[in-house]
Amino acid sequence: MATEPSTSAPASPAAVAGGDDSLEPWSARVRTLTRLGRHREALALLRHGDPSPPPHALALPAAVISCAKLHLASGVAQIHALAAKRGLLPSSDAYLLSALLSSYSRLRLLPLARQLLDELPLASTPPATARTAFNSLISGCALHGVPAGCFSLFRLMRVAAGVRFDAVTLLALVPVAPLGIVPQLHALAARSGLAANTSVANCLVSVYARGGGGGASLARQVFEEMPRASRDLVSWNAVISAHAQNGLAVEAVELYRRMRGPEGGGVEPDAVTLVGVLSSCAHTGARRVGLDVERYVRDTIPGFRDNLPLCNALINFHARCGSLAQAQELFDEMPERSVVSWTALIIGYGMHGQGDIAVDLFETMVSEATAPDSVAMVGLLSACSHAGMYDEGRKYFSTMERDYCLRPKLEHYTCMVDLLGRAGRLDEARELIASMRMAADGAVWGALLGACKIHKNVEMGEEAFERVVSLEPANVGYYVLMANIYADAGQLDGVAKVRAAMRRRGLRKEPGCSYVEHKGKVHLFMADDHSHPQARRIYELVVELERMVKEKTGGDVVEERAEKAVAEAAAVPLVGFHSEKLAVAFGLLNTEAGSEIVVIKNLRVCGDCHSFLKTVSELTNRAFLVRDASRFHRFENGACSCRDYW
């Protein structure tokens, strides 16, 4: 037999099993050596041991596996020939048949595996043996990325051979199935009673999650249909990741709460769970949950700083939730950093308007031989855009392909159009779009539209709006932007036209909302919201602050409105109050003097609120950290960290 030379003499029975020869048959010793991963010794013992057929036959499946592990295709073929000569194939030995099919598949010898299957007399083969044979070859095709072969064999298995599939079959088929086929496999699993199998259900959840779009809802459906007792850690991780990866951060955090409660049945999260939850907390600004997760990590995962994905998730969480100091501290403590670690910190500083530090971090990363990837370049260009660093942004964009072998993608062009547009270089931004190697998407045209709003360019705004709504007709934000451009220019006919288009399409402006976390509770405020238990006091304070702001800035003081609001707030709902004003007023009423108030907002801060919060920060001697849909604004001593560039 063609085997690699053994590096040692064949093991004695005592060496293998710790016993006497008579206590362990020779064939069992071959199997034991294979199970222990001592494949060369197993093959050497096969060559030099007892040649009598009975033990030889029992040892052959193990020997086949050892040959496959050592990549000895010729050894597998010789054992196959020997077994056929002794009459052990094609169907009398199920274990040997399975070992040969699995080994041929592992060694990419799929035609030989298919030939062996075709030689199997299905009519006289026991069903379990036939199912094992089909499963082995289907798994081999799946392993080597041949989905067409998988489904061809599956049809043969069910129709021509009449062999029933099992959970092993589905676990091979589902991950390689086209997304449109997965629901059909799901239906087959349900009809056969296999959908309740924990492994099958976990597999379906994971595959649905990768589908994007409505995949998360299908993953959730499978999860909710599972018996609670059969949900294991993999189940919870799969469904949490399904929501986190598809932008459903609120749902992911809620699932984590369920997992940690009685419904979780004592299942403890692992690093995979925590990475998904921290990512969702970063997305939504759920500081309290994220801090609870961090405490859990520090208490239960010793040496967590060696876990790169977990540390990166913590850095990202702190950076996106306004705690740059903690993000930097974690980064500094890491024994090893990846490009993801650097990128998380670069993006964090960029969101806080500290583009100069983001650029320094990027240069340090490169000097330490960590090559940037596309995501790192997006973070860097975005940081330059938020900080108004026009020259730096142009330099990095123009050299990214030459210096880092990174061809610009749509997201890089979006950053550059945003950078140029914010800097007032609208014509240059339009020329960049015309020069793109690919068609501009909605994000690119949307960046130009946003720049036209900043610089009140109606003509170019109309072009960008026409382009973007043809690509994303249901994105209400673009309609609002165009209506505001018309409003700023005093073109009321244009405003009416955009609003009519919104009505025709059934679109409504997303309501603004802001929230503040206080004493373990989330306090949510909508624009003109009177539902909060402290609504009367909140509105009284906002009206008083508006009066103080107008006095300080020299505007007209509307005393009558203030007096009426204080007297009649409970009876007459006030209007025109944006959610961030209400959230800040709540924070002022309920937190200690000198403490920072953190507000998370779903939309961008408007100009009026931005000016209001700057002045209020000076009047009250308080700092407000507001994260809007685009970036962080830190209001302190009458100024904002964005330097009025947002």
Side-chain angles (χ1 to χ4, degrees):
M1 184 185 304
T3 62
E4 292 185 1
S6 176
T7 56
S8 62
S12 69
V16 175
D20 188 87
D21 277 23
S22 62
L23 298 179
E24 185 174 28
W26 166 84
S27 57
R29 300 203 303 274
V30 174
R31 295 200 303 274
T32 300
L33 287 167
T34 296
R35 189 167 56 250
L36 294 173
R38 294 159 64 177
H39 301 297
R40 289 186 176 84
E41 295 175 52
L43 294 178
L45 184 58
L46 180 71
R47 292 181 65 187
H48 302 295
D50 184 348
S52 58
H56 203 306
L58 293 172
L60 289 182
V64 168
I65 292 170
S66 287
C67 285
K69 291 289 188 181
L70 296 171
H71 303 284
L72 297 174
S74 60
V76 176
Q78 289 182 40
I79 295 173
H80 182 180
L82 178 62
K85 181 178 179 181
R86 294 188 178 275
L88 300 173
L89 293 174
S91 63
S92 66
D93 192 320
Y95 291 110
L96 180 57
L97 179 67
S98 176
L100 283 167
L101 287 167
S102 298
S103 297
Y104 278 140
S105 299
R106 179 186 293 274
L107 295 169
R108 293 182 177 271
L109 300 173
L110 295 177
L112 291 177
R114 180 57 188 265
Q115 180 182 336
L116 178 57
L117 180 67
D118 290 341
E119 293 172 356
L120 194 65
L122 294 172
S124 59
T125 301
T129 301
R131 181 164 49 251
T132 299
F134 275 103
N135 284 347
S136 296
L137 192 47
I138 289 172
S139 298
C141 289
L143 176 67
H144 297 299
V146 190
C150 292
F151 286 94
S152 173
L153 286 162
F154 186 53
R155 283 191 294 271
L156 177 64
M157 176 183 186
R158 297 185 65 217
V159 179
V163 176
R164 294 184 62 182
F165 61 89
D166 61 6
V168 176
T169 322
L170 293 173
L171 290 173
L173 287 172
V174 171
V176 299
L179 290 175
I181 302 297
V182 175
Q184 298 177 42
L185 293 173
H186 184 184
L188 285 174
R191 284 202 297 268
S192 62
L194 292 170
N197 178 286
T198 299
S199 296
V200 172
N202 290 346
C203 184
L204 285 166
V205 171
S206 299
V207 170
Y208 276 136
R210 294 199 298 269
S217 63
L218 293 171
R220 179 68 166 265
Q221 178 185 333
V222 176
F223 177 80
E224 299 293 359
E225 290 173 353
M226 292 176 69
R228 287 192 179 186
S230 68
R231 294 173 185 165
D232 59 9
L233 178 60
V234 176
S235 314
W236 286 101
N237 282 353
V239 74
I240 289 171
S241 297
H243 289 78
Q245 293 166 8
N246 286 282
L248 301 171
V250 173
E251 292 83 351
V253 172
E254 180 56 33
L255 282 163
Y256 174 69
R257 288 195 180 101
R258 287 172 56 186
M259 177 186 179
R260 301 291 287 139
E263 189 179 340
V267 175
E268 289 293 321
D270 65 358
V272 175
T273 326
L274 301 174
V275 167
V277 176
L278 285 168
S279 171
S280 297
C281 291
H283 183 76
T284 60
R287 288 161 58 95
R288 180 175 60 86
V289 177
L291 292 173
D292 287 345
V293 170
E294 183 178 32
R295 280 191 289 273
Y296 181 86
V297 168
R298 293 181 181 276
D299 291 343
T300 63
I301 304 181
F304 74 91
R305 290 177 182 80
D306 294 322
N307 188 315
L308 261 177
L310 188 53
C311 263
N312 291 341
L314 281 167
I315 292 170
N316 183 54
F317 160 71
H318 281 302
R320 288 179 179 269
C321 288
S323 304
L324 272 177
Q326 287 91 326
Q328 183 71 63
E329 182 181 345
L330 273 167
F331 179 84
D332 292 339
E333 292 173 350
M334 293 177 72
E336 179 186 356
R337 301 169 187 139
S338 67
V339 66
V340 178
S341 319
W342 291 94
T343 301
L345 207 56
I346 288 168
I347 290 174
Y349 278 105
M351 288 183 69
H352 285 262
Q354 301 184 41
D356 52 343
I357 298 179
V359 168
D360 289 344
L361 278 167
F362 180 84
E363 291 294 344
T364 304
M365 176 183 76
V366 173
S367 70
E368 293 186 7
T370 299
D373 59 11
S374 290
V375 180
M377 293 305 303
V378 169
L380 177 65
L381 295 175
S382 178
C384 291
S385 178
H386 283 309
M389 299 171 66
Y390 168 80
D391 292 331
E392 291 85 351
R394 284 297 308 268
K395 179 189 77 172
Y396 286 114
F397 179 76
S398 63
T399 61
M400 62 182 283
E401 190 166 2
R402 183 194 69 202
D403 292 352
Y404 309 114
C405 301
L406 296 171
R407 174 171 288 195
K409 300 178 181 178
L410 283 168
E411 48 266 39
H412 302 107
Y413 283 106
T414 300
C415 290
M416 284 307 299
V417 170
D418 188 58
L419 172 74
L420 297 170
R422 289 176 189 273
R425 300 173 181 266
L426 297 181
D427 291 333
E428 193 174 343
R430 183 64 185 83
E431 290 169 6
L432 178 64
I433 295 175
S435 72
M436 288 172 57
R437 298 166 175 167
M438 70 287 286
D441 65 355
V444 173
W445 287 110
L448 182 62
L449 183 64
C452 292
K453 164 67 173 67
I454 295 171
H455 298 288
K456 300 177 171 55
N457 189 317
V458 176
E459 183 179 354
M460 192 176 294
E462 288 176 330
E463 180 197 1
F465 178 69
E466 183 179 343
R467 298 273 193 165
V468 77
V469 296
S470 68
L471 295 166
E472 299 182 23
N475 191 325
V476 70
Y478 297 136
Y479 295 86
V480 174
L481 268 177
M482 192 66 232
N484 288 338
I485 292 172
Y486 281 132
D488 290 344
Q491 297 185 19
L492 300 184
D493 289 345
V495 175
K497 182 175 66 175
V498 173
R499 288 178 177 171
M502 291 175 64
R503 285 194 297 272
R504 284 197 304 272
R505 291 183 166 91
L507 302 176
R508 297 185 63 184
K509 180 182 177 182
E510 181 182 3
C513 65
S514 301
Y515 70 82
V516 178
E517 291 187 357
H518 178 61
K519 293 185 177 180
K521 290 184 63 178
V522 173
H523 296 263
L524 179 68
F525 300 91
M526 309 289 287
D528 299 328
D529 184 9
H530 290 261
S531 63
H532 194 276
Q534 298 181 32
R536 181 185 179 90
R537 294 179 62 206
I538 289 169
Y539 276 89
E540 287 175 354
L541 180 56
V542 173
V543 170
E544 176 63 18
L545 290 171
E546 283 192 332
R547 184 189 65 77
M548 294 169 64
V549 167
K550 288 173 182 176
E551 283 184 344
K552 182 171 181 61
T553 57
D556 295 331
V557 180
V558 189
E559 295 286 358
E560 182 180 349
R561 176 188 174 187
E563 292 172 2
K564 184 176 180 181
V566 171
E568 304 178 14
V572 182
L574 300 176
V575 295
F577 289 81
H578 286 183
S579 61
E580 57 266 50
K581 289 184 179 180
L582 304 178
V584 164
F586 169 83
L588 289 170
L589 288 170
N590 291 278
T591 58
E592 296 179 0
S595 62
E596 182 180 76
I597 296 171
V598 180
V599 176
I600 308 295
K601 180 176 171 62
N602 65 328
L603 304 176
R604 290 186 66 187
V605 174
C606 71
D608 173 65
C609 289
H610 195 267
S611 299
F612 173 83
L613 293 174
K614 282 198 301 181
T615 306
V616 170
S617 71
E618 182 179 10
L619 291 170
T620 60
N621 194 29
R622 298 290 291 274
F624 314 129
L625 185 64
V626 179
R627 192 186 95 173
D628 69 7
S630 176
R631 59 173 299 152
F632 278 96
H633 299 264
R634 182 181 176 82
F635 300 94
E636 191 171 18
N637 297 323
C640 179
S641 60
C642 74
R643 300 186 294 277
D644 298 337
Y645 189 86
W646 91 100

